[in-house]
Amino acid sequence: MNLVLTGFMGVGKSVTGKLLSEELHRVFFDTDALIEKKIGLSISMIFEKFGEKEFRQTESEIIRTLSQQEHPSVISCGGGAVLNPSNIKLLGNKGIMINLYASPEVIYDRVKSDSTRPLLKHENPLDEIKRLLELRKEVYSDCDYAFNTDGLTPRQVVNNILNSLHHY
């Protein structure tokens, strides 16, 4: 089974996923990085040039491809990937869904200086984080496992995941 990391931006999916894949000797895939590679632009430029719809279509294509991999891997999904029910179904069919989460204030503190986050280009980014978290709450909560990353290092989060998945 794949280990699929979901959650909002800034919760540590990419760093945690990479460490988790190294610990388990699995290939690591970051859907956002794969989208950037496929289109040849940064995510913020994709949003600016083509819009969110194009980004989400490419994201779904990549998830479809990753869900067909034969060897178990660790997949870090972009924060909005789970908004598409077909993405959830594909990832969940051959994967254990793991939600990483943090408080809105911690997320804001982690991402506030990152100007490449297209969904945070708002007058009040903290309010936008809270709004988006509320919109996504149901899909994030529909995972097999959930881990709070507030105040933890990525290594501590990996250890928490491994302790819960001790049969791996």
Side-chain angles (χ1 to χ4, degrees):
M1 299 283 286
N2 294 321
L3 297 179
V4 181
L5 301 180
T6 69
F8 200 73
M9 70 178 102
V11 297
K13 298 179 305 287
S14 296
V15 175
T16 301
K18 185 149 181 48
L19 287 171
L20 189 58
S21 71
E22 290 168 1
E23 189 74 30
L24 296 172
H25 307 288
R26 294 184 180 195
V27 178
F28 173 67
F29 296 104
D30 184 315
T31 61
D32 284 349
L34 293 171
I35 293 166
E36 288 179 334
K37 185 176 180 181
K38 180 175 183 169
I39 295 180
L41 295 170
S42 68
I43 289 173
S44 60
M45 289 301 296
I46 295 167
F47 268 71
E48 189 177 307
K49 191 170 181 174
F50 301 110
E52 186 174 359
K53 184 178 178 186
E54 175 75 20
F55 173 83
R56 296 293 174 206
Q57 287 174 334
T58 305
E59 181 177 59
S60 291
E61 292 169 17
I62 286 172
I63 286 172
R64 192 175 314 107
T65 301
L66 291 177
S67 68
Q68 296 168 357
Q69 298 288 322
E70 290 187 31
H71 300 291
S73 59
V74 175
I75 302 169
S76 171
C77 294
V82 294
L83 297 175
N84 182 335
S86 65
N87 289 346
I88 296 171
K89 185 176 181 186
L90 287 169
L91 292 165
N93 282 343
K94 291 175 81 176
I96 296 171
M97 303 293 284
I98 300 169
N99 176 254
L100 301 183
Y101 65 94
S103 70
E105 294 76 17
V106 168
I107 291 169
Y108 176 68
D109 192 53
R110 290 176 181 171
V111 301
K112 67 184 175 190
S113 61
D114 186 350
S115 62
T116 66
R117 305 282 185 164
L119 294 178
L120 288 183
K121 294 185 177 176
H122 291 271
E123 192 173 308
N124 189 331
L126 181 57
D127 285 347
E128 183 64 5
I129 290 169
K130 290 176 182 177
R131 185 185 76 78
L132 290 170
L133 282 171
E134 186 60 34
L135 283 173
R136 298 174 183 183
K137 182 169 58 175
E138 188 175 324
V139 289
Y140 285 153
S141 68
D142 195 27
C143 288
D144 301 305
Y145 294 90
F147 298 93
N148 187 337
T149 66
D150 283 355
L152 300 178
T153 66
R155 174 58 60 197
Q156 290 170 317
V157 176
V158 166
N159 290 340
N160 289 345
I161 293 169
L162 292 174
N163 287 337
S164 292
L165 304 173
H166 57 83
H167 59 281
Y168 280 90

